[in-house]
Amino acid sequence: MKPIAPGTVIFHRHRGYGVITAVNLMTGWISARFGSEMRTLDLNLSTDEVQHADGEPILFRRTPPDPMPHARLMAMVRQLHRAGYQRLYLYSWPKPSGLHLRWHLFTGPRNWMERPWREGWYGSGAEYNFNPVMGWGDAPGETTEELASTLAQFDPTGMAQALGRDEDHTLWFETVCEALLPDYTYSLGWNDRDGQIPDALPVIPVRRGVPPYSGPPLPWPPGWIKLWGGGHLATTTATLLPSSKRGPTDAESDIAR
């Protein structure tokens, strides 16, 4: 989808070619000047027949994108598992503030604490909220199939490492997706300050207005509990993103907390 911004040349079936002078994506209205007219005309993207200059329709999205990408990531991972890429894993955990959830895709051995970091394979809801892309060359609103294809083209070496069988984890992930999608995601982050590790997997809604999760309790991933001693999850450096993608303020905040 092409960007809608002031200066974009557009076409209207009744008014011909024009140029956008102002955009309000919150309401779905734009202002445009057509031909030699001195005044601008306000158009509603939900009802007016407006196109880019090359004929692609400009449509206003009534429902805003989810402020978290995790449900889309879960759907993509599930599809790739079904295609034989079972050694693909999704780790998600909250930022220290608790306001956003981070995500990290990794491939190869299922080692939750020593996950390989590949550029474009991690991010957070804080970034996605302002720019709804994952970071591997995808476009906003891509389908599950398009996301998987774009990732494979972006990093074929990383995807090749996901090819293989992990039946225990794939069965667990399929069960979790069936229970949570499209409204919820899970968190694997837990801190010893939060008390004893809960029996069930923590569940988080991916958008506002979603009622609290009321489905069946979900188990932790296979082998997860065995990683920790004393019934508590410890704070580890595994919850820190690589410093190359983050500012010094974020890094200091994480270390301090």
Side-chain angles (χ1 to χ4, degrees):
M1 182 180 295
K2 298 182 180 64
I4 307 172
T8 299
V9 178
I10 61 173
F11 178 81
H12 192 279
R13 189 174 70 171
H14 300 297
R15 299 176 178 88
Y17 287 94
V19 177
I20 294 178
T21 59
V23 179
N24 189 331
L25 294 179
M26 296 294 293
T27 62
W29 287 83
I30 62 173
S31 296
R33 179 175 288 111
F34 291 89
S36 59
E37 294 186 15
M38 297 299 295
R39 65 184 182 88
T40 59
L41 185 67
D42 291 330
L43 301 172
N44 189 328
L45 297 182
S46 299
T47 57
D48 286 288
E49 300 178 58
V50 185
Q51 303 174 351
H52 285 279
D54 62 0
E56 179 183 335
I58 300 176
L59 302 176
F60 177 59
R61 184 173 185 171
R62 292 179 179 272
T63 304
D66 296 340
M68 296 168 56
H70 298 71
R72 298 181 65 205
L73 288 167
M74 288 174 64
M76 183 196 73
V77 170
R78 176 168 62 169
Q79 176 169 304
L80 287 169
H81 282 176
R82 293 173 176 176
Y85 294 86
Q86 295 185 1
R87 301 177 70 191
L88 173 64
Y89 308 99
L90 173 60
Y91 185 94
S92 57
W93 74 105
K95 297 187 74 172
S97 65
L99 297 177
H100 295 283
L101 206 64
R102 294 188 173 121
W103 59 269
H104 177 199
L105 293 171
F106 68 99
T107 61
R110 191 215 309 162
N111 190 328
W112 296 108
M113 295 300 99
E114 296 180 8
R115 309 181 306 274
W117 297 97
R118 303 183 71 90
E119 189 63 32
W121 289 62
Y122 53 87
S124 76
E127 301 163 351
Y128 184 87
N129 198 28
F130 295 99
N131 186 24
V133 295
M134 306 302 179
W136 56 72
D138 58 301
E142 280 192 357
T143 64
T144 300
E145 294 77 10
E146 290 170 336
L147 278 178
S149 176
T150 306
L151 177 59
Q153 295 176 50
F154 170 76
D155 190 349
T157 302
M159 282 299 298
Q161 295 173 3
L163 191 59
R165 302 178 71 86
D166 188 340
E167 296 179 354
D168 290 345
H169 176 268
T170 299
L171 177 60
W172 170 82
F173 196 82
E174 179 70 31
T175 302
V176 168
C177 287
E178 187 66 26
L180 298 185
L181 295 182
D183 296 324
Y184 304 92
T185 188
Y186 62 86
S187 171
L188 296 180
W190 200 259
N191 193 290
D192 54 5
R193 293 174 299 182
D194 299 323
Q196 190 172 6
I197 179 174
D199 294 330
L201 186 71
V203 174
I204 299 172
V206 297
R207 68 180 69 88
R208 296 183 182 89
V210 175
Y213 175 72
S214 60
L218 299 171
W220 294 84
W224 180 261
I225 301 298
K226 296 180 181 178
L227 296 173
W228 312 101
H232 291 75
L233 294 184
T235 302
T236 73
T237 55
T239 58
L240 299 181
L241 289 176
S243 58
S244 60
K245 186 168 181 174
R246 308 167 62 233
T249 302
D250 292 336
E252 291 171 3
S253 174
D254 278 355
I255 294 172
R257 301 188 185 188

